[in-house]
Amino acid sequence: MSEAVTRSVHSASTSPGLLASLDPLLREWLPRQRWFAGKGRPVTGFSLVAATEVLPLDAKLGLLHLLVRAHQPLVPTQSAATHPADCYQLLIGVRETLPPRLAPALIGRPTEGPLAGRTVYEALHDARPADVLLEALRSRARVGDLRFERDMRQEIRDGLVPRLVTAEQSNSSIVYGDTFILKLLRRIVPGDNPDLELPLLLAREGCPRVPAPAGWLLADLADETYVLGVLQPFVQGAADGWELALRELAKGEDFSGEARALGRATAEVHMALARALPTVTMGRGQMQLLVDGMTERLEAAAQAVPALRPYAPGLHTAFEALADLAGEGETWTAQRIHGDLHLGQCLRSPSGEWSLIDFEGEPSKPLAERRMPQPTARDVAGMLRSFDYAAHSHAPVVPGWADTCRAAYCSGYAEAGGRDPRTDPVLLRAYETDKAIYEVVYEARHRPDWLPVPMEAVRRLALSGSS
């Protein structure tokens, strides 16, 4: 980063009129973004957390880094104390006019304030701002409150051509020359984000199943550190597990061998995490808290989705059975896990090796909850549900495909981890039930056409308690 860039940090970006001038544009633009979490509720205003000029705003091309809170009406179950306004990371380019290639990135033209008459746009669509981010990581730059760090053992070459990945949902990523991928988190919270924390720890453990971070972007604000982005090696030619499963289904090919290999990879990651971080024992008290949370989610889901109500008593038995085991003195080991494992979070390289990615966990959950030790069965249950989803994404559904993959995955897990997840059927059923209930609510709200997929699992899981 040039000295001129660093000196420009606190000029127009700290002008009191900056956010006010962007406010009406952001109110329209932000809710349309796929990674915006507050859909269905209007944005009533913004408050500025931090603003940094990465490239001077009075230049031909300016680059503004913003952390802003988007204020929205609370839903009845929320309070301002427990649900503060979401903070978003925005990278805004500033030009006089946009070239045609950047037209889809347009945010608008402020009519007042320091950017009046200029054009502002989503900067990640533009190669020059993307180049600036990689160069800042390569040179370990500090720009205002932003701190760019890297692993000096990994070479970051310049001249890598950037391209924005268009298929993501909750975050944004840029691929640099098929060598690196920079994941920029959109909804930001202070603290150790597991998307950086766990891959760094796994790299130190020598676990080859998770790409080692090559660089990371942080913000140091008011004695708190925010993880903003992670640069990792790009697995060239890799297919994610979801795409691969659907491709094999379409060809009528067996996927059980891949499912078994993926089970082995999952177990290896779990074992490495158990070595790297402390494990805990969950007894009656801890398991009752776990069961209480599952029960509350079931009750809330049954209120939200009437189709779930006939199955609620059968589903409840999954949680009762787990509480009963804990009451009899059964204990379970909990450790750090992936937290949101499914086929789309797995990559298979052209050589056939599987990697696990995206350790952020469920972004809707508090960071402290995402970093809590949990039984590995939660990850396993997430993958078992993912096989079910893949099977129902192909028409007609191939009989037995999901069951075969689920069995192969558990067998592969046992081969590498020493214990088959199916030997703890009560815990596995409870987690799979909890996941299916979550899916029912999600699909009912966002993708009603998909609702039959988790509802079929709900019927199976409810009946399994009465057999």
Side-chain angles (χ1 to χ4, degrees):
M1 302 289 287
S2 70
E3 185 180 352
V5 169
T6 306
R7 280 204 307 266
S8 73
V9 170
H10 298 292
S11 53
S13 65
T14 56
S15 166
L18 175 71
L19 190 57
S21 68
L22 291 173
D23 184 304
L25 304 178
L26 293 179
R27 287 195 199 206
E28 293 291 325
W29 176 81
L30 191 62
R32 298 199 305 266
Q33 306 313 302
R34 286 186 291 179
W35 40 262
F36 180 68
K39 286 183 169 54
R41 292 177 290 142
V43 176
T44 57
F46 297 94
S47 56
L48 187 64
V49 176
T52 304
E53 286 182 47
V54 182
L55 294 176
L57 299 187
D58 56 3
K60 182 178 179 182
L61 168 60
L63 177 58
L64 178 63
H65 183 282
L66 291 180
L67 295 178
V68 297
R69 292 199 181 277
H71 298 278
Q72 298 180 272
L74 295 170
V75 301
T77 58
Q78 295 177 333
S79 70
T82 57
H83 291 80
D86 288 327
C87 178
Y88 291 95
Q89 175 178 203
L90 308 179
L91 288 109
I92 295 178
V94 181
R95 290 175 178 261
E96 290 297 329
T97 58
L98 280 189
R101 62 183 172 81
L102 293 176
L106 176 68
I107 296 175
R109 292 176 66 85
T111 58
E112 57 185 6
L115 301 179
R118 307 286 298 279
T119 301
V120 296
Y121 64 101
E122 165 61 89
L124 299 186
H125 288 262
D126 195 347
R128 172 58 181 146
D131 285 338
V132 168
L133 294 176
L134 187 65
E135 172 57 24
L137 288 166
R138 193 181 69 81
S139 61
R140 300 186 67 196
R142 287 177 178 257
V143 188
D145 298 317
L146 302 179
R147 178 158 50 98
F148 296 81
E149 300 288 356
R150 61 172 290 194
D151 179 353
M152 298 302 292
R153 293 168 298 182
Q154 297 191 52
E155 180 187 8
I156 302 177
R157 295 186 291 108
D158 56 10
L160 297 174
V161 177
R163 71 175 188 275
L164 182 66
V165 177
T166 58
E168 288 201 69
Q169 297 289 333
S170 58
N171 296 292
S172 299
S173 290
I174 304 171
V175 173
Y176 291 94
D178 291 337
T179 303
F180 292 106
I181 182 167
L182 173 61
K183 177 180 177 181
L184 292 161
L185 305 178
R186 287 300 194 166
R187 191 157 44 146
I188 304 299
V189 294
D192 288 331
N193 192 301
D195 215 14
L196 174 62
E197 175 199 16
L198 296 186
L200 280 176
L201 286 168
L202 289 166
R204 291 172 192 148
E205 282 294 319
C207 178
R209 297 297 191 174
V210 177
W216 47 97
L217 170 57
L218 309 171
D220 297 313
L221 304 169
D223 299 323
E224 292 186 302
T225 297
Y226 294 68
V227 177
L228 305 181
V230 183
L231 182 75
Q232 290 179 295
F234 182 75
V235 185
Q236 188 171 3
D240 79 45
W242 178 258
E243 294 172 349
L244 188 62
L246 295 190
R247 196 158 64 227
E248 297 304 293
L249 262 169
K251 293 190 297 185
E253 297 290 338
D254 177 57
F255 196 68
S256 61
E258 297 294 352
R260 183 183 292 268
L262 186 50
R264 289 195 295 268
T266 305
E268 289 177 21
V269 170
H270 282 164
M271 289 189 297
L273 286 171
R275 292 193 302 269
L277 292 163
T279 62
V280 299
T281 299
M282 298 181 70
R284 181 173 183 173
Q286 296 94 330
M287 295 307 290
Q288 189 60 55
L289 289 174
L290 178 67
V291 167
D292 288 346
M294 291 176 170
T295 302
E296 288 171 10
R297 287 189 288 274
L298 170 58
E299 292 171 353
Q303 289 295 316
V305 186
L308 194 60
R309 292 172 193 169
Y311 304 99
L315 298 173
H316 190 67
T317 63
F319 309 143
E320 290 175 335
L322 186 57
D324 289 345
L325 266 187
E328 294 167 6
E330 185 83 17
T331 61
W332 289 265
T333 299
Q335 62 165 81
R336 294 296 296 277
I337 61 172
H338 183 281
D340 188 25
L341 192 60
H342 54 78
L343 283 165
Q345 308 283 43
C346 307
L347 296 176
R348 196 199 68 172
S349 70
S351 64
E353 295 297 313
W354 282 98
S355 300
L356 273 57
I357 60 173
D358 292 340
F359 281 76
E360 187 181 4
E362 293 183 23
S364 61
K365 295 195 173 182
L367 183 63
E369 184 177 336
R370 287 185 266 150
R371 297 184 69 237
M372 287 176 58
Q374 300 174 72
T376 56
R378 183 181 170 190
D379 276 351
V380 173
M383 188 61 71
L384 299 186
R385 294 294 312 123
S386 193
F387 287 125
D388 198 37
Y389 261 78
H392 285 83
S393 298
H394 181 271
V397 174
V398 179
W401 187 91
D403 290 339
T404 300
C405 288
R406 289 157 60 96
Y409 177 80
C410 290
S411 296
Y413 191 100
E415 290 169 6
R419 183 175 182 181
D420 193 315
R422 294 169 293 188
T423 60
D424 197 350
V426 173
L427 182 64
L428 192 58
R429 179 187 169 222
Y431 269 116
E432 193 175 353
T433 300
D434 190 46
K435 182 69 172 178
I437 291 165
Y438 165 84
E439 292 164 354
V440 164
V441 176
Y442 180 89
E443 304 300 7
R445 288 177 177 169
H446 302 286
R447 302 189 303 181
D449 290 347
W450 282 80
L451 185 56
V453 178
M455 284 302 301
E456 184 175 314
V458 158
R459 284 189 285 271
R460 170 176 57 83
L461 291 160
L463 288 172
S464 67
S466 60
S467 59

